[in-house]
Coordinates of all heavy atoms in Angstrom, one line a residue:
M1 N -16.7 6.8 3.0 CA -16.6 7.7 4.2 C -16.3 6.9 5.4 O -15.5 7.3 6.2 CB -17.9 8.6 4.4 CG -17.9 9.5 5.5 SD -16.6 10.8 5.1 CE -16.9 11.9 6.5
I2 N -17.1 5.9 5.6 CA -16.8 5.0 6.8 C -15.4 4.3 6.7 O -14.7 4.2 7.7 CB -17.9 3.9 6.9 CG1 -19.3 4.6 7.2 CG2 -17.6 2.9 8.0 CD1 -20.5 3.7 7.2
R3 N -15.0 3.9 5.5 CA -13.7 3.3 5.4 C -12.6 4.3 5.8 O -11.6 4.0 6.4 CB -13.5 2.9 3.9 CG -12.3 2.2 3.6 CD -12.2 1.7 2.2 NE -13.1 0.6 2.0 CZ -13.2 0.1 0.8 NH1 -12.5 0.4 -0.2 NH2 -14.1 -0.9 0.7
L4 N -12.8 5.6 5.4 CA -11.8 6.6 5.8 C -11.7 6.8 7.3 O -10.7 6.9 7.9 CB -12.1 8.0 5.1 CG -11.3 9.1 5.6 CD1 -9.8 9.0 5.1 CD2 -11.9 10.5 4.9
L5 N -12.9 6.8 8.0 CA -13.0 7.0 9.4 C -12.3 5.8 10.1 O -11.5 6.0 11.1 CB -14.4 7.2 9.9 CG -15.1 8.5 9.5 CD1 -16.5 8.4 9.9 CD2 -14.3 9.7 10.2
V6 N -12.5 4.6 9.6 CA -11.9 3.4 10.2 C -10.4 3.5 10.0 O -9.6 3.2 11.0 CB -12.5 2.1 9.5 CG1 -11.7 0.9 9.9 CG2 -13.9 1.9 9.9
F7 N -9.9 3.9 8.8 CA -8.5 4.0 8.6 C -7.9 5.1 9.6 O -6.8 4.8 10.1 CB -8.3 4.4 7.1 CG -6.8 4.7 6.8 CD1 -5.9 3.7 6.7 CD2 -6.4 6.0 6.7 CE1 -4.5 3.9 6.4 CE2 -5.0 6.2 6.4 CZ -4.1 5.2 6.3
L8 N -8.5 6.2 9.7 CA -8.0 7.2 10.6 C -8.0 6.8 12.1 O -7.0 7.1 12.8 CB -8.8 8.5 10.5 CG -8.7 9.3 9.2 CD1 -9.6 10.5 9.1 CD2 -7.2 9.7 9.0
L9 N -9.0 6.0 12.4 CA -9.0 5.5 13.9 C -7.9 4.5 14.0 O -7.2 4.5 15.0 CB -10.3 4.8 14.1 CG -10.6 4.2 15.5 CD1 -10.6 5.3 16.5 CD2 -11.9 3.4 15.5
L10 N -7.7 3.6 13.0 CA -6.6 2.6 13.1 C -5.2 3.3 13.2 O -4.3 3.0 13.9 CB -6.6 1.6 12.0 CG -7.7 0.6 12.1 CD1 -7.8 -0.3 10.9 CD2 -7.4 -0.4 13.4
A11 N -5.0 4.3 12.3 CA -3.8 5.1 12.3 C -3.5 5.8 13.6 O -2.4 5.7 14.2 CB -3.8 6.1 11.2
A12 N -4.5 6.3 14.2 CA -4.4 7.1 15.5 C -4.1 6.0 16.6 O -3.2 6.3 17.4 CB -5.7 7.8 15.8
A13 N -4.7 4.8 16.6 CA -4.5 3.8 17.6 C -3.0 3.3 17.5 O -2.4 3.2 18.5 CB -5.4 2.7 17.5
L14 N -2.5 3.1 16.3 CA -1.1 2.6 16.0 C -0.2 3.7 16.5 O 0.9 3.4 17.1 CB -0.9 2.2 14.6 CG -1.6 1.0 14.2 CD1 -1.4 0.7 12.7 CD2 -1.0 -0.2 14.9
A15 N -0.4 4.9 16.3 CA 0.5 6.1 16.6 C 0.5 6.1 18.2 O 1.6 6.3 18.8 CB 0.0 7.4 16.0
Y16 N -0.6 6.0 18.8 CA -0.7 6.1 20.3 C 0.1 4.9 20.9 O 0.8 5.1 21.8 CB -2.2 6.0 20.7 CG -2.4 6.0 22.2 CD1 -2.2 7.1 23.0 CD2 -2.7 4.8 22.9 CE1 -2.3 7.1 24.4 CE2 -2.8 4.7 24.2 CZ -2.6 5.9 25.0 OH -2.7 5.8 26.3
C17 N -0.2 3.7 20.4 CA 0.5 2.6 20.9 C 2.0 2.6 20.6 O 2.8 2.3 21.5 CB 0.0 1.3 20.3 SG -1.7 0.9 20.9
G18 N 2.4 3.1 19.4 CA 3.8 3.2 19.1 C 4.5 4.2 20.0 O 5.7 4.1 20.3
A19 N 3.8 5.2 20.6 CA 4.4 6.2 21.4 C 4.3 5.9 22.9 O 5.1 6.5 23.7 CB 3.8 7.6 21.2
T20 N 3.4 5.0 23.3 CA 3.2 4.8 24.8 C 3.6 3.4 25.3 O 4.0 3.3 26.4 CB 1.7 5.1 25.2 OG1 0.9 4.3 24.4 CG2 1.5 6.6 24.9
V21 N 3.4 2.4 24.5 CA 3.6 1.0 24.9 C 5.1 0.7 24.9 O 5.8 0.8 23.8 CB 2.8 0.0 24.0 CG1 3.0 -1.5 24.4 CG2 1.3 0.4 24.1
K22 N 5.6 0.2 26.0 CA 7.0 -0.1 26.0 C 7.2 -1.5 25.4 O 6.5 -2.4 25.7 CB 7.5 -0.2 27.5 CG 7.5 1.2 28.2 CD 8.9 1.8 28.2 CE 8.8 3.1 29.1 NZ 9.9 3.8 28.8
L23 N 8.3 -1.6 24.6 CA 8.8 -2.8 24.1 C 10.2 -3.0 24.6 O 11.2 -2.7 24.0 CB 8.8 -2.8 22.5 CG 7.4 -2.5 21.9 CD1 7.6 -2.2 20.4 CD2 6.4 -3.6 22.1
G24 N 10.3 -3.5 25.8 CA 11.6 -3.6 26.4 C 11.9 -2.3 27.1 O 11.1 -1.9 27.9
K25 N 13.1 -1.7 26.9 CA 13.4 -0.5 27.5 C 12.8 0.8 26.8 O 12.6 1.8 27.4 CB 14.9 -0.3 27.4 CG 15.7 -1.2 28.3 CD 17.2 -0.9 28.4 CE 17.8 -0.7 27.1 NZ 19.3 -0.4 27.2
R26 N 12.4 0.6 25.6 CA 11.9 1.8 24.8 C 10.5 1.5 24.2 O 10.1 0.3 24.1 CB 12.8 2.1 23.7 CG 14.2 2.4 24.2 CD 15.1 2.8 23.0 NE 16.4 3.3 23.3 CZ 17.5 2.6 23.3 NH1 17.4 1.3 22.9 NH2 18.6 3.0 23.6
T27 N 9.9 2.5 23.7 CA 8.7 2.4 22.9 C 9.1 2.0 21.5 O 10.3 2.1 21.2 CB 7.8 3.6 22.9 OG1 8.6 4.7 22.4 CG2 7.4 4.0 24.3
F28 N 8.2 1.7 20.6 CA 8.5 1.5 19.3 C 9.2 2.7 18.6 O 10.2 2.5 17.9 CB 7.2 1.2 18.4 CG 7.4 1.1 16.9 CD1 8.0 -0.1 16.4 CD2 7.0 2.1 16.1 CE1 8.2 -0.1 15.0 CE2 7.2 2.0 14.7 CZ 7.9 0.9 14.2
F29 N 8.7 3.9 18.8 CA 9.3 5.1 18.3 C 10.6 5.3 18.9 O 11.6 5.9 18.2 CB 8.4 6.3 18.4 CG 7.1 6.2 17.6 CD1 6.0 6.6 18.2 CD2 7.1 5.7 16.3 CE1 4.8 6.6 17.5 CE2 5.9 5.6 15.6 CZ 4.7 6.1 16.2
G30 N 10.9 4.9 20.1 CA 12.2 5.1 20.8 C 13.2 4.1 20.1 O 14.4 4.5 20.0
H31 N 12.8 2.9 19.8 CA 13.6 1.9 19.1 C 14.0 2.5 17.7 O 15.2 2.5 17.3 CB 13.0 0.6 18.9 CG 12.9 -0.2 20.2 ND1 14.1 -0.8 20.7 CD2 12.0 -0.6 21.0 CE1 13.8 -1.4 21.8 NE2 12.5 -1.3 22.0
V32 N 13.0 3.1 17.0 CA 13.3 3.6 15.7 C 14.3 4.8 15.8 O 15.3 4.9 15.0 CB 12.0 4.1 15.0 CG1 12.3 4.9 13.7 CG2 11.1 2.9 14.7
Q33 N 14.1 5.7 16.8 CA 15.0 6.7 17.0 C 16.5 6.3 17.3 O 17.5 6.8 16.8 CB 14.5 7.6 18.1 CG 15.4 8.9 18.4 CD 14.8 9.8 19.4 OE1 14.0 9.3 20.2 NE2 15.3 11.0 19.5
A34 N 16.5 5.3 18.2 CA 17.9 4.7 18.6 C 18.6 4.1 17.3 O 19.7 4.2 17.1 CB 17.7 3.7 19.6
I35 N 17.8 3.4 16.5 CA 18.4 2.8 15.3 C 18.8 3.9 14.3 O 19.9 3.8 13.7 CB 17.4 1.8 14.6 CG1 17.1 0.6 15.5 CG2 17.8 1.4 13.2 CD1 15.9 -0.3 15.1
W36 N 18.1 4.9 14.2 CA 18.3 6.0 13.3 C 19.7 6.7 13.7 O 20.3 7.2 12.8 CB 17.2 7.0 13.2 CG 17.3 8.0 12.2 CD1 17.6 9.3 12.3 CD2 17.0 7.8 10.7 NE1 17.5 9.9 11.0 CE2 17.3 9.0 10.1 CE3 16.8 6.7 10.0 CZ2 17.1 9.2 8.7 CZ3 16.6 6.8 8.6 CH2 16.8 8.0 8.0
A37 N 20.0 6.7 14.9 CA 21.2 7.4 15.4 C 22.5 6.6 15.3 O 23.5 7.1 15.7 CB 20.9 7.8 16.8
T38 N 22.4 5.3 15.0 CA 23.6 4.5 14.9 C 24.6 4.9 13.8 O 24.2 5.6 12.8 CB 23.3 3.0 14.6 OG1 22.6 2.8 13.4 CG2 22.3 2.5 15.8
E39 N 25.8 4.5 13.9 CA 26.8 4.9 13.0 C 26.6 4.3 11.6 O 26.8 4.9 10.6 CB 28.2 4.4 13.6 CG 29.4 4.8 12.6 CD 30.7 4.3 13.2 OE1 30.8 3.9 14.4 OE2 31.6 4.2 12.4
Q40 N 26.1 3.1 11.6 CA 25.8 2.4 10.3 C 24.7 3.2 9.5 O 24.8 3.2 8.3 CB 25.4 0.9 10.5 CG 26.4 0.0 11.1 CD 26.5 0.1 12.6 OE1 25.8 0.8 13.3 NE2 27.4 -0.8 13.2
V41 N 23.7 3.6 10.2 CA 22.7 4.3 9.4 C 23.1 5.6 9.0 O 22.8 6.1 7.9 CB 21.4 4.4 10.3 CG1 20.3 5.3 9.6 CG2 20.8 3.0 10.6
Q42 N 24.0 6.3 9.8 CA 24.5 7.6 9.4 C 25.4 7.4 8.2 O 25.4 8.3 7.3 CB 25.3 8.3 10.6 CG 24.5 8.5 11.8 CD 23.3 9.5 11.5 OE1 23.4 10.4 10.7 NE2 22.1 9.1 12.0
D43 N 26.2 6.3 8.2 CA 27.0 6.0 7.0 C 26.1 5.8 5.8 O 26.5 6.2 4.7 CB 27.9 4.8 7.3 CG 29.0 4.6 6.3 OD1 29.5 5.5 5.7 OD2 29.2 3.4 6.0
L44 N 25.1 5.1 5.9 CA 24.1 4.8 4.8 C 23.5 6.1 4.3 O 23.5 6.3 3.1 CB 23.0 3.9 5.3 CG 21.8 3.6 4.3 CD1 22.4 2.8 3.1 CD2 20.7 2.9 5.0
K45 N 23.1 7.0 5.2 CA 22.6 8.3 4.8 C 23.6 9.1 4.0 O 23.3 9.7 3.0 CB 22.1 9.0 6.0 CG 20.8 8.5 6.6 CD 20.3 9.2 7.8 CE 20.8 10.6 8.1 NZ 20.3 11.1 9.4
Q46 N 24.8 9.1 4.5 CA 25.9 9.9 3.8 C 26.1 9.2 2.4 O 26.3 10.0 1.4 CB 27.2 9.8 4.6 CG 28.3 10.6 4.0 CD 29.6 10.6 4.9 OE1 29.6 9.7 5.8 NE2 30.5 11.4 4.5
G47 N 26.2 7.9 2.3 CA 26.4 7.3 1.0 C 25.3 7.6 0.1 O 25.5 7.9 -1.2
V48 N 24.1 7.6 0.5 CA 22.9 7.9 -0.4 C 23.0 9.4 -0.9 O 22.7 9.7 -2.0 CB 21.6 7.6 0.3 CG1 20.4 8.2 -0.4 CG2 21.4 6.2 0.5
E49 N 23.4 10.3 0.1 CA 23.5 11.6 -0.3 C 24.6 11.9 -1.4 O 24.4 12.7 -2.3 CB 23.8 12.5 0.9 CG 22.5 12.7 1.8 CD 22.9 13.4 3.2 OE1 24.1 13.7 3.4 OE2 22.0 13.7 3.9
E50 N 25.7 11.2 -1.2 CA 26.8 11.3 -2.2 C 26.4 10.8 -3.6 O 26.7 11.4 -4.6 CB 28.0 10.5 -1.7 CG 28.7 11.2 -0.6 CD 29.9 10.3 0.0 OE1 30.1 9.2 -0.6 OE2 30.4 10.8 1.0
K51 N 25.6 9.7 -3.6 CA 25.2 9.0 -4.9 C 24.1 9.8 -5.6 O 24.1 10.0 -6.7 CB 24.8 7.6 -4.7 CG 26.0 6.7 -4.4 CD 26.9 6.5 -5.6 CE 28.0 5.5 -5.4 NZ 28.8 5.3 -6.6
A52 N 23.1 10.3 -4.7 CA 21.9 10.8 -5.2 C 22.0 12.4 -5.4 O 21.3 13.0 -6.1 CB 20.7 10.6 -4.4
G53 N 23.1 13.0 -4.8 CA 23.2 14.4 -4.8 C 23.3 15.0 -6.3 O 22.6 15.9 -6.5
P54 N 24.1 14.5 -7.2 CA 24.2 15.0 -8.5 C 22.8 14.9 -9.2 O 22.4 15.8 -10.0 CB 25.2 14.2 -9.2 CG 26.1 13.6 -8.2 CD 25.1 13.4 -6.9
A55 N 22.1 13.7 -9.0 CA 20.8 13.6 -9.7 C 19.8 14.6 -9.2 O 19.0 15.2 -9.9 CB 20.3 12.2 -9.5
V56 N 19.9 14.8 -7.9 CA 18.9 15.8 -7.3 C 19.2 17.2 -7.8 O 18.3 17.9 -8.1 CB 19.0 15.7 -5.7 CG1 18.3 16.9 -5.1 CG2 18.5 14.4 -5.2
D57 N 20.5 17.5 -7.8 CA 20.9 18.8 -8.4 C 20.4 19.0 -9.8 O 19.9 20.1 -10.2 CB 22.4 19.0 -8.3 CG 22.8 19.2 -6.8 OD1 22.0 19.5 -6.0 OD2 24.0 19.0 -6.6
K58 N 20.5 18.0 -10.6 CA 20.2 18.0 -12.0 C 18.6 18.2 -12.1 O 18.2 19.0 -12.9 CB 20.5 16.7 -12.8 CG 20.3 16.7 -14.2 CD 20.8 15.5 -14.8 CE 20.5 15.5 -16.3 NZ 21.0 14.3 -17.0
V59 N 17.8 17.5 -11.3 CA 16.4 17.7 -11.3 C 16.0 19.1 -10.9 O 15.1 19.7 -11.5 CB 15.7 16.6 -10.4 CG1 14.2 16.8 -10.2 CG2 15.9 15.2 -11.0
K60 N 16.6 19.6 -9.8 CA 16.3 20.9 -9.4 C 16.7 22.0 -10.5 O 15.8 22.9 -10.7 CB 17.1 21.3 -8.1 CG 16.6 20.7 -6.9 CD 17.5 21.1 -5.7 CE 17.0 20.4 -4.4 NZ 17.8 20.8 -3.2
R61 N 17.7 21.8 -11.2 CA 18.1 22.7 -12.3 C 17.0 22.6 -13.4 O 16.6 23.6 -14.0 CB 19.4 22.5 -12.8 CG 20.6 22.9 -11.9 CD 21.9 22.9 -12.7 NE 22.2 21.7 -13.4 CZ 22.9 20.7 -12.9 NH1 23.3 20.7 -11.6 NH2 23.1 19.6 -13.5
G62 N 16.6 21.4 -13.7 CA 15.6 21.3 -14.8 C 14.2 21.9 -14.4 O 13.6 22.5 -15.2
V63 N 13.9 21.7 -13.1 CA 12.6 22.3 -12.6 C 12.7 23.8 -12.7 O 11.7 24.5 -13.1 CB 12.2 21.8 -11.2 CG1 11.1 22.6 -10.6 CG2 11.9 20.3 -11.3
K64 N 13.8 24.4 -12.2 CA 14.0 25.8 -12.2 C 14.0 26.4 -13.6 O 13.3 27.3 -13.9 CB 15.3 26.2 -11.6 CG 15.5 27.6 -11.4 CD 16.9 27.9 -10.7 CE 17.1 29.4 -10.6 NZ 18.4 29.7 -10.0
A65 N 14.6 25.6 -14.6 CA 14.6 26.1 -15.9 C 13.2 26.0 -16.5 O 12.8 26.9 -17.3 CB 15.6 25.2 -16.8
G66 N 12.5 25.0 -16.2 CA 11.1 24.9 -16.7 C 10.2 26.0 -16.2 O 9.4 26.5 -16.9
L67 N 10.4 26.3 -14.9 CA 9.5 27.4 -14.3 C 9.9 28.7 -14.9 O 9.0 29.5 -15.3 CB 9.8 27.5 -12.8 CG 9.2 26.3 -12.0 CD1 9.5 26.4 -10.5 CD2 7.6 26.4 -12.1
E68 N 11.2 28.9 -15.1 CA 11.6 30.2 -15.8 C 11.1 30.3 -17.2 O 10.7 31.3 -17.6 CB 13.1 30.3 -15.8 CG 13.7 30.6 -14.3 CD 15.2 30.6 -14.3 OE1 15.9 30.3 -15.4 OE2 15.8 30.9 -13.2
A69 N 11.1 29.2 -17.9 CA 10.6 29.2 -19.2 C 9.1 29.4 -19.2 O 8.5 30.1 -20.1 CB 10.9 27.9 -20.0
A70 N 8.4 28.8 -18.3 CA 6.9 29.0 -18.2 C 6.6 30.5 -17.8 O 5.6 31.0 -18.3 CB 6.3 28.0 -17.3
E71 N 7.4 31.1 -17.0 CA 7.1 32.4 -16.5 C 7.7 33.4 -17.5 O 7.5 34.7 -17.3 CB 7.6 32.6 -15.1 CG 6.8 31.8 -14.1 CD 7.5 31.9 -12.7 OE1 8.5 32.5 -12.6 OE2 6.8 31.4 -11.7
G72 N 8.6 33.1 -18.3 CA 9.5 33.9 -19.1 C 8.7 35.0 -20.0 O 7.7 35.5 -19.6
D73 N 9.2 35.1 -21.1 CA 8.6 36.2 -22.0 C 7.3 35.9 -22.5 O 6.6 36.8 -23.1 CB 9.6 36.5 -23.1 CG 9.9 35.3 -24.0 OD1 9.4 34.2 -23.7 OD2 10.5 35.6 -25.1
G74 N 6.8 34.7 -22.5 CA 5.5 34.3 -22.9 C 5.3 34.3 -24.4 O 4.2 34.1 -25.0
S75 N 6.4 34.4 -25.2 CA 6.3 34.3 -26.7 C 5.9 33.0 -27.2 O 5.3 32.9 -28.3 CB 7.7 34.7 -27.3 OG 8.7 33.8 -26.9
G76 N 6.1 31.9 -26.4 CA 5.7 30.6 -26.9 C 4.4 30.2 -26.4 O 3.9 29.1 -26.9
S77 N 3.7 31.0 -25.6 CA 2.4 30.5 -25.1 C 1.3 30.9 -26.1 O 1.3 32.0 -26.6 CB 2.2 31.1 -23.7 OG 2.2 32.5 -23.7
A78 N 0.3 30.0 -26.2 CA -0.8 30.3 -27.1 C -1.8 31.2 -26.4 O -2.1 31.1 -25.2 CB -1.5 29.0 -27.5
G79 N -2.4 32.2 -27.1 CA -3.4 33.0 -26.5 C -2.9 34.2 -25.6 O -3.6 34.8 -25.0
S80 N -1.6 34.4 -25.7 CA -1.0 35.5 -24.9 C -1.2 36.9 -25.6 O -0.7 37.0 -26.7 CB 0.4 35.2 -24.7 OG 1.1 36.3 -23.9
A81 N -1.9 37.8 -24.9 CA -2.1 39.1 -25.5 C -1.0 40.1 -25.2 O -1.0 41.1 -25.7 CB -3.5 39.6 -25.2
A82 N -0.2 39.7 -24.3 CA 0.8 40.6 -23.8 C 2.0 40.6 -24.8 O 2.4 39.6 -25.3 CB 1.3 40.1 -22.4
P83 N 2.5 41.8 -25.1 CA 3.6 41.9 -26.1 C 4.9 41.4 -25.4 O 5.1 41.5 -24.2 CB 3.7 43.4 -26.4 CG 3.0 44.1 -25.2 CD 2.0 43.1 -24.7
A84 N 5.8 40.8 -26.3 CA 7.1 40.4 -25.7 C 7.9 41.5 -25.3 O 8.0 42.5 -26.0 CB 7.7 39.6 -26.8
Q85 N 8.5 41.4 -24.1 CA 9.4 42.5 -23.6 C 10.8 42.3 -24.1 O 11.3 41.1 -24.2 CB 9.3 42.5 -22.1 CG 7.9 42.8 -21.6 CD 7.8 43.1 -20.2 OE1 8.8 43.2 -19.6 NE2 6.7 43.2 -19.6
P86 N 11.5 43.3 -24.4 CA 12.9 43.2 -24.9 C 13.9 42.8 -23.8 O 13.8 42.9 -22.7 CB 13.2 44.6 -25.4 CG 12.3 45.5 -24.8 CD 11.1 44.7 -24.4

């Protein structure tokens, strides 16, 4: 419990310092925001979306199919007292 409180205190202190202490012209979070807005990072994000897009779509379809099968007619589930619907 004490370890959790110490961790939360440290996380809050780091967040406060990252948002208020200037490191040159900007705070830490300001630097991260400026870097995130650069053309190179936007190009990187676009490349990742292009490469990972088909895999993400495949996983979404698999999850959707699994959910539909789990919620489906129930004929494959053990202990189901409900009759199968046509």
Side-chain angles (χ1 to χ4, degrees):
M1 181 69 174
I2 292 175
R3 187 178 285 180
L4 176 65
L5 291 175
V6 169
F7 175 76
L8 289 176
L9 181 65
L10 285 173
L14 287 173
Y16 175 78
C17 289
T20 59
V21 176
K22 295 259 186 196
L23 303 171
K25 294 190 305 183
R26 300 180 174 103
T27 63
F28 173 74
F29 294 138
H31 283 290
V32 171
Q33 183 180 14
I35 292 168
W36 191 253
T38 63
E39 182 180 341
Q40 291 86 355
V41 173
Q42 297 304 316
D43 187 39
L44 174 68
K45 286 174 28 182
Q46 183 182 10
V48 169
E49 287 173 355
E50 288 174 2
K51 288 289 185 180
V56 170
D57 291 339
K58 186 176 180 179
V59 169
K60 283 182 182 179
R61 286 193 310 267
V63 169
K64 184 177 178 183
L67 287 173
E68 288 174 355
E71 293 174 350
D73 60 351
S75 61
S77 61
S80 176
Q85 297 191 7

